[in-house]
Each structure stands twice: as C-alpha cells, then as structure tokens.
Amino acid sequence: MIRKAQGFYETFDRKEPGTRATHYCPGCGHGIIHKLIGEAMAELGIQDRTVFVSPVGCAAFCFHYFDCGNVAGPHGRASAVATGVARALPGKVVISYQGDGDLGAIGFNNAFQAANRGEHFACFFVNNSIYAMTGGQMAPTTMLGQKTTTTPFGRDAVKEGYPLKVCEVLNQLDAPVFIERVSVSDTKHIMQAKKAVRKALEIQRDGKGYAFVEFLSPCPTNWRMDPVTSAQFVNEQMEKVFPLGNFRDRSAQPAPVAKPVPQLTVDELLGRGHEGGSAKPDLAFKERKFKFSGFGGQGVLSLGLVIAEAAGDSGRFVSWLPSYGPEQRGGYASCSVVVSGKEVGSPTVDAPDVLVAMSQQAAEKFAMTVPAGGVVIYEASLPEPGAREGVKVMAFPASRIAAESGTPKAANTALLGALTALDLHGLPEDKVLQALDASFAAKPALVERNRKVYRAAFDWAKNNL
Ligand code: SF4
C-alpha cells in the first residue's frame, strides 16, 4: 500500500477540483523535494506553525500543495520575504524555497545577505543547472560545456563565467548554522536528502538560526532527457561540479542571543536636551507650508529643522522632508516643512506659503511655485526672482547681517530672525530660540553668536520689511 504523503492539502485544486496531480513534469525533482519537506513538517509536528515562501519559477505554485501558512514572493525575493516573516513572527518555522535562477541570479544578494545575517529560516535551494520555467536558458549554476538555449554550444568560462557554487560561497560566512548539498536523483540520495531537510527544520523549530540545503535536482524537460538519463546526469555530471556533503552543522551549539535594545524616548534617541511636546489638534491654527532652499553648506536643512523642532515643541503637528544632491557642500539642497494644527497629510510641499531662497538657482526653481498670497524671501545679494501675481517678494540681506554680527556663516539664523519678526511661522519666539539653542548643543560657543545674529536680523526685518 502506498502511504499518503503528509503535509499537503487533501486535493490540489489549482486547475481541477479534486485532483492530487501537481503541475510538475514527469521525472522532475521538485515533487520529491516537496514530499520530503511535507513529511518532515508533519513528523516534527510543526505544520501549524510553518510559513512557506514560494518563489517565482517552476515551483511558483507551492502554495497550492503545502498545508501550512503560505506566502508567494516576488522573483528572487523569497529570502527577503522569509526574513520579514521570520522577524515579524518569531517562533514560526519559516521556509524559503528557491530555484537556481531565482536564488542564484536575480535574488543572490538577498539570499546571501540573509545568510550572512543568520536569519531564522530554512532555505531550500533547488539546483537543476538551468532556467526551467522560462524554457531552458543558462542559469548561474549551468555547468561548463552544458548546452542551454542561450549557450547552444555549451557554457564557455571565458564568455559566461563559471558555475556558481552556492554552498561553497555561503560556507565563507560566519552566521549560517547548517549548510548541506544533497541530491534527489535516486533512492539512496533521497534518504540522505530527507535527513538534511529534517535537520534544517529542526534548527528552525529550535530557533537556532539559518539553515541552507541545496538539492541537485533533475529537469528532464529542459535537459531534453528521459527521467532515467536525467537521474544519471545528476549522479555522473552534476555531482562532479557540485560535490555532495555537509559543509557545516553547528546545530549543537547554543543560538547567539541578540543584545537587548535600550528603551529610549524619542528625545533621548535624537539626543535632544529639551522636552518634546505632544501635538494637539487646533483647527484654528492656520497650516503653513515652507520651502527652505539653497545649496549644501548654507544651513538650509538646519533652518527648516529648527522651525520643525520649534513647531513640535509648541504642540503643533509638523513634518520636515529634506532633499539634496550627492555633494556634501555646494550641491543643491532644500527641505519642505509643514506646520499644522492637524495631522499632516503629506510632507511634500509643491506650493509653499513661504519660500526662503538662499541661492539664485533655488530662487529661480521655486519662486513660481508660490501661489498668490504667499511670500518669497530671497538673499538680497541675488537678482530678484520672478514670481506670480499676488506673491509678496522680499529681499533680505541675510549674509550681510550675519557678517556684520560677527558670524558670516549664520545667514540661515538671520533668516530665522526675519521669519519670526514677520510672524511667518506662527510659533512662539521662546520655542524658536529654544530650538535654535538646541541645534548648537554640540557647539555651545555658537549659541550666543547665533542669538546675536538672530536678534540683529529680527530688528532689521521689523524696521525694513
Ligand atoms: S521544467 Fe524542469 S524543473 Fe520545471 S517542472 Fe519541468 S522538469 Fe521540473
């Protein structure tokens, strides 16, 4: 009597209700590997806490077969999805099932990094040395001389490189607990493969860490062989290139324990020395959208951050969204700040109520985005930017005031003084100054100097704008 396979749904209803036939070709190794996994799940009693991540490839329909939790991963991303599942659901047994195109090519970095982090899942890697689902193209694991539809004269190391030996690569990493290469070519090999599958799942059951099992598996269809010849091909050709055996088994060692994460408040996390306030709805407060713009090194982002901090400390809802080029100095930089009496819907600011432009490029780029009723404040040494009708455009000598106050680099602080003097942010001055001081917490000598610039700019704006 043939024993019913364990770990599977009663019927596989993908195409026809009631059938128990899989979609695999005759002689394919996937069905055997599935059976080993299903049996091991059932025997270990972990079926109801197992999550199986299916790949893209011939095995894309695993979720029609395995009677456990199922997730379908995008192409090459099964290891990334398994990482997410394992981290979100500690205590579950997570399986990533991937072929050689999926894991060895598009998903190699995902799989490699997951192994290097020692993620808690079992990765079952099916190596049939070819892209199977897409019709037999060369895979990273295709052997030298092996003919595929894209290497019709055989893989040539000079043109196509060498077959990727994934077990050997992963064996260079510190984190994996278990690495083994097995074969499903015949009964003797299948018995050994079953032990490896079981061990990989025991490691998951016991929360020990990352386990990797590579299966040398026949693909009669794309190899253009009958099942018997395919099995011989695995034994006689593949095993020479991909030697079988256990590369590592550290399952007897205790699992490493992660360092506890300190429980910090947001202020402690951000290193802020002052109390952050909780935002409270205030529908009477007029929402203000700012764009602070210039180039890197002018303190554009810091200016926006001081306003954002002051707003947060004043109980306003606030967002701060920076945007800058790759250069640390001299490249384009801007930030969008929204200060509101209600939750901020989007941190992006396409039509600012207030534009602060510290460079000509920034003024030219953003001035026309300010709608009627808005304000443009630009550095007075620059040409006046064009603006829409109904927009108030003000030249403000931020650089000159900062220089005359003894801190030429503090033009951004001068602009902060002007914004307060003109009441463009609607925030209490004591909160603004508190945030300004806090921004120099690491350089206390600059606190008083910036206060001096701020005060001079405030007075100038009051008297001249
Ligand atoms: S194409 Fe190859 S790997 Fe895919 S189901 Fe058929 S035999 Fe299996």
Side-chain angles (χ1 to χ4, degrees):
M1 189 179 96
I2 298 174
R3 194 159 60 98
K4 183 170 162 290
Q6 298 172 286
F8 295 99
Y9 292 121
E10 281 300 314
T11 55
F12 306 150
D13 296 341
R14 189 177 81 84
K15 280 193 174 166
E16 274 177 57
T19 181
R20 276 195 70 82
T22 68
H23 68 290
Y24 297 117
C25 312
C28 175
H30 277 298
I32 300 167
I33 299 165
H34 284 19
K35 189 157 182 278
L36 299 181
I37 296 170
E39 278 179 0
M41 274 199 313
E43 287 168 11
L44 293 172
I46 55 172
Q47 204 172 334
D48 61 353
R49 63 179 176 111
T50 296
V51 181
F52 192 106
V53 183
S54 304
V56 167
C58 280
F61 299 123
C62 286
F63 50 84
H64 284 290
Y65 307 138
F66 288 100
D67 185 6
C68 60
N70 281 285
V71 181
H75 196 195
R77 302 296 179 264
S79 284
V81 173
T83 297
V85 174
R87 289 190 174 213
L89 302 172
K92 300 291 180 199
V93 170
V94 181
I95 294 170
S96 168
Y97 187 102
Q98 299 182 252
D100 42 13
D102 187 80
L103 183 144
I106 185 172
F108 186 72
N109 190 39
N110 274 221
F112 183 76
Q113 300 294 351
N116 191 42
R117 292 190 303 268
E119 298 292 347
H120 284 229
F121 65 87
C123 184
F124 293 134
F125 169 53
V126 181
N127 174 4
N128 51 26
S129 75
I130 207 160
Y131 268 90
M133 185 190 78
T134 48
Q137 296 85 0
M138 189 194 88
T141 46
T142 297
M143 296 175 290
L144 294 183
Q146 186 178 352
K147 291 181 180 170
T148 69
T149 56
T150 48
T151 54
F153 306 108
R155 182 175 188 168
D156 179 352
V158 175
K159 286 187 286 181
E160 285 100 25
Y162 291 85
L164 185 65
K165 299 176 181 178
V166 180
C167 281
E168 285 81 347
V169 173
L170 297 191
N171 201 30
Q172 306 307 308
L173 305 175
D174 291 327
V177 174
F178 182 82
I179 302 172
E180 184 158 326
R181 182 182 287 127
V182 295
S183 160
V184 291
S185 58
D186 54 38
T187 309
K188 185 170 142 241
H189 285 109
I190 291 169
M191 297 312 290
Q192 181 57 36
K194 180 170 181 179
K195 286 185 197 158
V197 168
R198 192 181 162 102
K199 173 62 83 173
L201 293 183
E202 283 172 351
I203 288 167
Q204 304 318 307
R205 178 197 63 190
D206 300 340
K208 289 283 180 75
Y210 184 83
F212 184 86
V213 180
E214 174 177 345
F215 302 87
L216 303 188
S217 175
C219 174
T221 301
N222 285 301
W223 292 353
R224 309 221 190 312
M225 297 175 188
D226 61 57
V228 174
T229 316
S230 295
Q232 285 169 352
F233 183 79
V234 173
N235 291 343
E236 293 166 13
Q237 303 299 325
M238 288 189 77
E239 272 195 43
K240 277 191 208 151
V241 180
F242 303 106
L244 304 182
N246 181 269
F247 290 76
R248 177 183 305 186
D249 183 359
R250 296 178 181 162
S251 58
Q253 297 176 13
V257 178
K259 277 193 268 179
V261 178
Q263 299 300 306
L264 301 176
T265 64
V266 173
D267 281 320
E268 287 168 337
L269 196 60
L270 297 177
R272 298 192 303 201
H274 60 283
E275 295 274 316
S278 298
K280 297 174 195 67
D282 176 5
L283 297 183
F285 183 82
K286 181 181 173 296
E287 184 173 271
R288 292 158 171 90
K289 294 181 177 175
F290 299 86
K291 180 79 80 180
F292 300 98
S293 59
F295 51 77
Q298 287 184 308
V300 169
L301 305 188
S302 304
L303 172 57
L305 202 52
V306 168
I307 296 281
E309 292 280 2
D313 290 344
S314 304
R316 300 301 176 197
F317 293 90
V318 63
S319 65
W320 175 81
L321 185 68
S323 171
Y324 41 82
E327 306 92 337
Q328 282 286 320
R329 288 280 179 273
Y332 153 80
S334 75
C335 66
S336 300
V337 175
V338 181
V339 178
S340 183
K342 59 185 191 313
E343 286 188 8
V344 176
S346 168
T348 57
V349 173
D350 296 325
D353 302 307
V354 178
L355 169 68
V356 173
M358 296 181 72
S359 73
Q360 184 174 349
Q361 184 193 26
E364 289 171 356
K365 181 171 181 181
F366 293 116
M368 292 302 285
T369 67
V370 180
V375 174
V376 174
I377 303 182
Y378 68 99
E379 162 57 43
S381 58
L382 303 172
E384 180 175 336
R388 292 188 198 178
E389 200 174 328
V391 173
K392 191 170 182 186
V393 180
M394 293 183 273
F396 178 70
S399 299
R400 179 168 64 78
I401 291 171
E404 288 174 358
S405 302
T407 310
K409 286 187 175 173
N412 58 343
T413 299
L415 281 155
L416 182 68
L419 291 171
T420 308
L422 299 172
D423 195 25
L424 289 174
H425 48 57
L427 301 171
E429 188 177 30
D430 62 324
K431 297 294 184 190
V432 173
L433 290 172
Q434 185 179 300
L436 177 66
D437 293 352
S439 71
F440 294 106
K443 298 175 187 167
L446 293 179
V447 170
E448 274 313 310
R449 293 173 63 171
N450 274 272
R451 282 251 185 170
K452 188 176 172 189
V453 172
Y454 173 93
R455 188 51 54 196
F458 182 97
D459 292 343
W460 193 97
K462 274 281 183 203
N463 295 328
N464 296 283
L465 294 178

